[in-house]
Amino acid sequence: MAGEGRATPDLYRVLGVPADADQEQLRRAYRRALRRLHPDTRGAAGDTRPDAAAEAALAHVLHAYQVLRDPIRRAHYDAARAAARARPGGPRPRPRNRATPSATSAGREPRRAPRAEGRLVIRIGPLRIDLG
């Protein structure tokens, strides 16, 4: 799909089909879009110059068909699409660091540093809480 920071186009809208389209409808819409956007069939017979907008649209069509023709990838896309619609504000950005879960989420007690001069310091992963 699209990279972070860019809006992901609706793959069904790219192909011009409803969300409940079957494989035959997807195939027909894909072939229709290919005929319209492919460099060999696009424009006048003598015009072979590359058109950046048409190339970008062709890339979107290729990606949309690649995702929607595979039942597993389509199910994942549909689930993500439904989740994004259910959340206000659209999709959430991915967390940057997925290294290790915190101590409390792993079911362990957080590490406590020894008291120094009546201060209590609690450390949970990179988080440090000073209660002194």
Side-chain angles (χ1 to χ4, degrees):
M1 292 222 246
E4 288 184 43
R6 293 186 299 182
T8 303
D10 182 12
L11 301 184
Y12 293 106
R13 188 173 294 161
V14 168
L15 289 178
V17 296
D20 61 347
D22 62 5
Q23 291 297 321
E24 183 63 24
Q25 289 174 314
L26 288 172
R27 187 183 64 79
R28 286 183 182 183
Y30 169 69
R31 289 185 176 200
R32 191 176 324 117
L34 274 183
R35 281 192 299 271
R36 188 179 75 242
L37 297 170
H38 195 276
D40 293 342
T41 59
R42 177 179 69 228
D47 187 15
T48 58
R49 293 177 296 147
D51 182 10
E55 287 180 8
L58 179 62
H60 285 299
V61 166
L62 292 172
H63 174 71
Y65 186 66
Q66 183 181 19
V67 171
L68 296 178
R69 73 175 176 182
D70 180 17
I72 295 171
R73 291 179 73 183
R74 184 176 181 176
H76 286 294
Y77 173 74
D78 288 340
R81 184 174 176 241
R85 286 185 174 188
R87 277 194 302 265
R92 295 180 186 152
R94 286 185 162 175
R96 291 193 179 264
N97 185 2
R98 294 182 173 185
T100 58
S102 67
T104 55
S105 66
R108 299 180 306 223
E109 287 293 318
R111 290 182 296 161
R112 294 184 180 188
R115 288 184 181 235
E117 304 161 10
R119 295 175 50 183
L120 175 65
V121 178
I122 300 174
R123 291 187 153 189
I124 304 173
L127 179 67
R128 181 176 179 212
I129 303 170
D130 190 357
L131 302 172

